[in-house]
Amino acid sequence: MHHSEAPDMREISVADKAAGPYGIAAGPDGALWLTFVHSGRIARLTPDGEVEEYPLDSPSCRPMVITAGPDGALWFTRFQDHRIGRITTGGDIESFPIPTPDSGPFGITNGPDGALWFTEMNTDRIGRITSEGEITEFGLPVAGAFPSAITAGPDGALWFTLNQANAIGRITVYGDIALHPLPTPGAAPVGIASDGAAVWFVEIAAGQIGRISMDGGIKEFPLPDRTAKPHAIVAAATGDCWFTEWGGNRIGRITTSGEIAEITEYDLPSPSSEPHGITLGPDGALWAALETGGIARLGCPRPPP
């Protein structure tokens, strides 16, 4: 099913094409916080479109994924210089080096234990950082796995995608690790999110959305366009997830009742806008970062609880 006209979709220009908006998160201050991957900046966007930029100490540090932390600040990964960054809502910035060299941190999420958890794409590790900046690392039992996105699951553990090992991983706050191989070969999972009951993920190479239940059972739902390259995913409610289609230039929605899934897709206003991160905004709308310099806001009615 494919809709060309989205209910109340608009695009806000936040930067020039060279800046590359990539990650997006709702802050505790009622604003959206963005990473500009190419210009090495963090930006704050109010729901009415005001943008403020904060340059990081290294323009080439490649800030990627950003998340609201347990301490009222925003935390983000710096992929190129292997640091975890922190910015307060007032714009104070600090960063912490990851002990393992050349780790390539990518995904980051607020954990159930009052710490942040992140992935090390280059070194097959999952990291944990306290709000004071203390880092612990846990090695994965597989090499060249490319751990990518990470989310806190409904079971009090952390769940993450293994992009090159074609699996979903689970790590407890004590560091116990389990891996769940995907049914589709070469699916290359990236984005991951919890809907409060199960964990949802996207398969960028297979053009599918996946769901893993807490007992490890996996279901895969093919997109109408298998070349859409879904990238990031966020849950709006249980059984109701939204995702970006980096290759298809669309925002998609998957809703489930029982085993039946319905997929709806909405074209983005500008061609080839390269949608990456997506988040539920403080205003109840969906907000997606477009690497070509914009943010898309999709004001969809939330389903009744």
Side-chain angles (χ1 to χ4, degrees):
M1 185 173 175
H2 181 251
H3 289 210
S4 53
E5 284 301 303
D8 188 22
M9 166 123 51
R10 64 191 168 98
E11 196 177 312
I12 303 160
S13 178
V14 292
D16 63 40
K17 207 181 170 95
Y22 188 91
I24 186 166
D29 56 346
L32 285 308
W33 288 79
L34 319 165
T35 59
F36 287 178
V37 64
H38 301 307
S39 63
R41 291 165 177 253
I42 303 296
R44 177 183 187 269
L45 168 70
T46 63
D48 55 12
E50 257 177 85
V51 183
E52 199 167 348
E53 288 189 36
Y54 303 93
L56 300 172
D57 52 7
S58 157
S60 61
C61 68
R62 289 186 75 82
M64 303 291 277
V65 178
I66 188 165
T67 192
D71 55 351
L74 288 298
W75 291 73
F76 54 94
T77 51
R78 292 169 48 149
F79 181 78
Q80 198 66 38
D81 66 353
H82 319 293
R83 300 174 82 93
I84 302 297
R86 175 184 186 268
I87 185 168
T88 66
T89 53
D92 297 321
I93 297 170
E94 59 186 326
S95 71
F96 307 94
I98 295 167
T100 302
D102 304 326
S103 56
F106 179 74
I108 190 167
T109 193
N110 197 354
D113 55 348
L116 288 299
W117 289 73
F118 59 92
T119 61
E120 299 180 20
M121 206 179 242
N122 298 343
T123 49
D124 296 306
R125 289 174 165 86
I126 302 296
R128 174 188 188 267
I129 184 168
T130 66
S131 43
E132 289 77 48
E134 276 175 64
I135 296 179
T136 317
E137 297 171 285
F138 303 93
L140 296 172
V142 57
F146 271 70
S148 300
I150 187 167
T151 191
D155 57 347
L158 289 303
W159 293 73
F160 51 92
T161 50
L162 294 175
N163 178 262
Q164 291 302 298
N166 209 51
I168 304 299
R170 175 186 186 268
I171 185 170
T172 68
V173 293
Y174 309 108
D176 301 313
I177 294 167
L179 303 184
H180 302 275
L182 295 180
T184 302
V190 185
I192 196 166
S194 163
D195 71 356
V199 168
W200 292 79
F201 55 92
V202 301
E203 299 177 355
I204 196 167
Q208 300 188 126
I209 307 298
R211 177 187 185 273
I212 183 166
S213 55
M214 294 305 92
D215 61 8
I218 295 174
K219 264 197 82 76
E220 293 169 313
F221 306 96
L223 295 174
D225 170 11
R226 300 294 290 272
T227 65
K229 294 191 164 49
H231 172 80
I233 188 164
V234 67
T238 305
D240 180 12
C241 293
W242 297 75
F243 52 93
T244 52
E245 294 186 7
W246 179 69
N249 201 51
R250 292 182 287 260
I251 306 286
R253 181 186 195 182
I254 183 166
T255 52
T256 50
S257 61
E259 295 301 289
I260 307 296
E262 186 178 355
I263 292 168
T264 318
E265 297 172 311
Y266 304 102
D267 292 327
L268 286 163
S270 300
S272 307
S273 53
E274 298 190 31
H276 285 294
I278 187 168
T279 194
L280 195 59
D283 55 352
L286 277 300
W287 295 74
L290 312 174
E291 202 178 325
T292 49
I295 302 295
R297 179 189 183 275
L298 185 54
C300 272
R302 301 278 304 272

